[in-house]
Amino acid sequence: MTGSGMVLSPHPAGWDEALRLALGDLQLDRWRSTKEVLARADSWGQLTSQSQVLASAAAKGRAIEAWCAEEPGDAYALMMLARVLTQRALTAGRAGVDRHSLLGVCTRALEACVSAEAVWPQCPIPGVCRLAVATLDLDPYRPLARTAWAAPPEKLLLPGPWPLLDAVDQLDPCNREAYHRMLQTFTARRSGALNFARYVSDRAPLGSPLRVLPIYGFVEDYALQLRSGRGGAISYWSTELCRYHVTRARDGWFARLKDPRSASLLDLNYLAYGLGVTGLPGAAAVFEAIGPFATPAPWEQAQSAKWWEDSFAAAHRNAMRETRRRR
């Protein structure tokens, strides 16, 4: 419960009850409900999103290995194994393991991607996993893979895993996670993230969640300024550039959603934050789509309150107050 009395229940499944049950089963090393959830996905985007959430939980257990042992050759099982091994590689990278150990876990993840692609070549998710592994490739002089430092399509952009992104784009154009992994690559390298996010957003079609991408870049940039003691929220977020991209996310993505509750919880939270700090209208509808499922990011990255939940609650109150004033 926040200081305003709002009851939050952060959960990666959000409004998706079937996904929630599958996550619970994975904690008990049960995989059949995971298979059922994945089989019901009606788009590559939904399958990508659900498999990412499931892999984060499955990486802590042995459920997916058990699935692969019981149903060898199953396309969903092999895709999920690539997901799980990639998640473990990311965890190892964040933990700061030595280069030799990191290379080993990354190699196993990439080998799992090859196996998954062999049985399901149409699936973009192994390619997304390759992009995730590329976020760990931070040394251009000792690269884990040459594809992580390829030349960009335009001069204003930096070298990165562009061939990997192109491969995913051929299977699922504008795959949300693929572009977020690219953004994470530039963020980890501390250069080029915001330019990349703006480049992608300006080319994203109407209705694409990639229109939210610049807000991620702005939040990271603003958080860096906060940590260095430079600037403030008003001077940063009141610029025309910030307002332009937040408006594009609101009108070109959120306003066109048929079911806002099915959207990425992170995207909704970032848009709600962006609308609040820029003073643009429309945050109340975004908060309604979020419901009790607040996500720590971006609130904990660029907050003034002691607890991120309080930052979320304050923004929620302001949005509802603004809505009442406009009526």
Side-chain angles (χ1 to χ4, degrees):
M1 180 177 292
T2 67
S4 66
M6 177 187 298
V7 178
L8 300 181
S9 55
H11 194 284
W15 301 99
D16 192 331
E17 284 299 320
L19 184 59
R20 184 186 296 263
L21 291 173
L23 288 170
D25 281 349
L26 284 172
Q27 293 177 347
L28 302 173
D29 275 341
R30 299 171 180 169
W31 53 266
R32 294 192 182 278
S33 55
T34 289
K35 181 178 181 178
E36 292 170 0
V37 165
L38 297 175
R40 286 198 294 267
D42 60 8
S43 68
W44 288 127
Q46 186 180 36
L47 186 64
T48 303
S49 173
Q50 290 178 335
S51 63
Q52 180 187 12
V53 173
L54 290 164
S56 295
K60 301 169 186 175
R62 306 295 295 178
I64 303 305
E65 286 87 347
W67 182 6
C68 290
E70 190 161 339
E71 297 186 353
D74 183 273
Y76 287 101
L78 290 171
M79 177 272 289
M80 282 302 299
L81 183 61
R83 272 290 201 190
V84 164
L85 294 181
T86 297
Q87 183 62 43
R88 290 174 184 163
L90 295 175
T91 300
R94 286 193 293 266
V97 302
D98 62 270
R99 178 180 170 80
H100 178 75
S101 299
L102 182 61
L103 186 58
V105 293
C106 288
T107 298
R108 288 191 288 275
L110 295 174
E111 288 172 347
C113 291
V114 172
S115 297
E117 288 165 338
V119 299
W120 200 359
Q122 305 90 345
C123 181
I125 294 172
V128 172
C129 291
R130 293 179 187 276
L131 277 164
V133 173
T135 66
L136 302 172
D137 205 334
L138 302 180
D139 187 349
Y141 301 104
R142 293 198 303 165
L144 300 175
R146 291 183 180 179
T147 50
W149 297 91
E154 293 191 10
K155 288 184 178 179
L156 66 90
L157 302 167
L158 294 178
W162 296 100
L164 302 181
L165 181 64
D166 289 342
V168 176
D169 252 340
Q170 290 176 20
L171 297 172
D172 183 31
C174 297
N175 180 285
R176 177 191 175 277
E177 187 185 341
Y179 281 86
H180 274 266
R181 294 299 185 184
M182 281 288 288
L183 181 65
Q184 289 167 10
T185 296
F186 295 121
T187 299
R189 296 175 186 178
R190 298 181 179 272
S191 183
L194 193 49
N195 275 348
F196 170 75
R198 292 169 54 196
Y199 168 82
V200 172
S201 174
D202 285 341
R203 289 158 179 76
L206 284 172
S208 171
L210 296 182
R211 292 199 168 207
V212 188
L213 203 63
I215 305 178
Y216 287 77
F218 288 132
V219 166
E220 183 65 27
D221 186 50
Y222 174 60
L224 285 172
Q225 291 196 22
L226 274 185
R227 290 195 289 271
S228 64
R230 294 181 289 116
I234 295 177
S235 61
Y236 186 92
W237 291 100
S238 61
T239 64
E240 284 302 312
L241 185 63
C242 288
R243 293 172 64 86
Y244 167 75
H245 281 292
V246 173
T247 299
R248 277 175 55 84
R250 181 195 64 194
D251 299 345
W253 172 66
F254 181 77
R256 296 173 178 271
L257 291 173
K258 293 181 179 179
D259 179 12
R261 290 186 174 186
S262 67
S264 159
L265 285 173
L266 270 175
D267 286 352
L268 291 171
N269 276 264
Y270 270 83
L271 178 57
Y273 176 84
L275 289 168
V277 291
T278 57
L280 291 165
V286 184
F287 277 111
E288 288 174 4
I290 294 170
F293 304 115
T295 58
W299 313 101
E300 68 180 359
Q301 292 167 265
Q303 63 175 330
S304 56
K306 183 176 181 181
W307 309 106
W308 71 263
E309 294 91 342
D310 292 337
S311 295
F312 176 90
H316 183 278
R317 284 195 305 271
N318 290 338
M320 298 307 156
R321 192 180 302 124
E322 179 65 23
T323 297
R324 288 193 292 270
R325 280 201 297 265
R326 292 175 182 275
R327 286 175 180 170

